[in-house]
Amino acid sequence: MDTSSSSLSHTSSDSAITVPVPPSDDEYDLFGGSSPLSSIESRSTEFEPSGASGEEDQPVASTSADAHPASTLGVSVPSRIGTHGRQATPVMPTFGPLGFLVPAPMAARRVVDAQEQEAIRLVGSHLVCNVPSIINAALPRNPDKRATAVRLSTIIAELIEELLNLPRARTRPAIRRALADINELVSEENRDDNANPPLLDAISGCFAGFKPWLTGTWTQLGREPATRPNLKAHLYRLFPEFVMFIAHCVQAYYYSVRTMRVSTSERNCRLIVPFGSTNRKPTDSDYRGRVDIGLTLVNPKMPIVRPRTITNAAMFAITEAKAYADKHVDAFNQLFRYSRPLYKSQPDRRFLWGLTVCGEDTYVCLFMLSKAYATPAMNIQTPEGRSALINFFVGWSLCEWDRCGYDPSMVLRSIVPKLRKNPIPMAGPSICGTALGSQQPVLQMQDKLTYYEIQVHNYDPVTQEHTTRQYFANLPMVNAERLFSRHTRCLSGSFTDPNTLCGYDGRVIADSLLKTGWPESNMDIAADTRDECHMLRKINGILGDDADLNGRYPTLVCGGRARIDSGDGVMVDDSVQFILAEVDIEITVHRVHKRLVITPLGEPLNTV
């Protein structure tokens, strides 16, 4: 068979999605001599970044042999060249074959082309299609909450079927009956019978907004004849209305829970709603593309207000839309490309969700660390397709925080540091380059101090006991950005609570480094000989008493495998196997979430 026309599909479905495999590295050369993934080392047919530390590679404009002749031609490149847009990442200056500087827009275009080609390549090599069981990774792990989610999804699906057969003037009684059924889902001792949320008009209006999508008349909206761009613009309105319909119904359930407070965090309960703007570039992204429809999380006990400003930091999932069902491969290409920056903007993200809407067909995609898994097409014009899609949104709204893809042991905090007049002896070198043991007056900061509170699980191989310590870290110094890798992140910080000892320049006073990632590991902790903590303990045990080597090798403070609540109070290792335990797929690469704290903390080269 010709490999250039080969396809990828999941054998468990008769209606498999066909995803063409892109050309090999030798067939295109956008990065000047090698493909974007030529430096990636593949083991066990999976994706693994090269290098021991697993840092995330950044796309560059060109790295060819003649790309940097500045030393021979004496060309002086201003530092501002190659920087595009507000708060954008500087683009490396690019030179042509004769040594002339390539204009910045042209260099940026090369970066965009490289990102597009990389996304095409990843779709062809890392997407596993037609996996309907990924819905089990979105439903609550707790049996009682899962039963509630399934029943709530059924009520919403039945309400839609009933409303489709009623004229608009007679929809309100049907919605009242559905809201009463939703209220009955809450136990009597926890039910607020006096709750009367003003959701009747909101639910009715949302249904009228997306009804043409369900009946097939959405292609006739607007002026005739309907053109391809117009159809895609219709989806920008129809799909958000469908999502808001589900959000209002889920909100009715949360309103009925008496113990639910307004101050409840999205970590415990949430609604999935679309941003107020569509087809927009996230304001905190240095990617040039536009996200069609972004989904975010809001508090269910507050009136729903759709944020108009799209940001990657607040993005739960990206939805890419196409006018016709035969464009699903293009939609996946864009979904892969635009989902990649979310890992950089969200340091507490373990894995991602994403969606594509292609005409009447919708796909849900689960991005894991080595592969991505997509559902079969869920046709919105069939009861089965609508019910399947509703299950995902209700599951995301009621499930545990880690099932949404976030790290429950990592919390972003903001405080107003206590002002101190006396100098404070620093426990170690700070980010701004203050020498060890120096004394400086604490600056009076008007802004809040933002830091991460992280649980570091330490494993003692001698006693085989697990303990937990609280670590307070600044924003990441090294961040993850690739879709498929070990997702290594490095954060400087300390075990000292910032409320007790505040930092300089809005940062935590750092005396150590926390490294977190998902390396390939043996599931048996005793047989995991490649474990970094194991190696550091061995090095420290052999060389720890040599004063001449003090500070030359890293010293392990604590570390081990990250632990997570399995749902019944039992703590287990946070691993790919744990996340995909209920998904019917074969896992070929075993990855485990690990954290370690090491010293000493070095100085940045630009401050030496």
Side-chain angles (χ1 to χ4, degrees), residues 148-185:
T148 299
V150 172
R151 178 56 184 153
L152 180 56
S153 300
T154 303
I155 293 175
I156 297 174
E158 292 175 349
L159 174 60
I160 291 178
E161 302 307 317
E162 184 176 2
L163 294 180
L164 282 173
N165 299 316
L166 293 175
R168 184 169 185 178
R170 298 176 57 188
T171 59
R172 298 175 71 88
I175 298 175
R176 288 194 183 94
R177 289 192 297 270
L179 292 177
D181 292 339
I182 293 174
N183 188 55
E184 293 293 329
L185 293 177

Side-chain angles (χ1 to χ4, degrees), residues 447-460:
D447 297 333
K448 291 184 178 180
L449 172 62
T450 301
Y451 64 95
Y452 280 100
E453 183 177 320
I454 305 172
Q455 294 181 9
V456 180
H457 298 87
N458 184 61
Y459 174 72
D460 189 337

Side-chain angles (χ1 to χ4, degrees), residues 494-540:
S494 172
F495 288 104
T496 303
D497 191 340
N499 286 280
T500 303
L501 183 64
C502 59
Y504 303 100
D505 301 330
R507 297 177 182 269
V508 174
I509 298 178
D511 57 12
S512 56
L513 182 75
L514 181 141
K515 181 180 178 181
T516 177
W518 292 75
E520 295 184 28
S521 305
N522 194 307
M523 294 304 296
D524 183 4
I525 191 171
D528 192 8
T529 57
R530 296 181 57 199
D531 179 61
E532 190 170 0
C533 292
H534 172 77
M535 295 180 180
L536 286 175
R537 287 189 181 99
K538 187 174 182 179
I539 293 174
N540 298 155

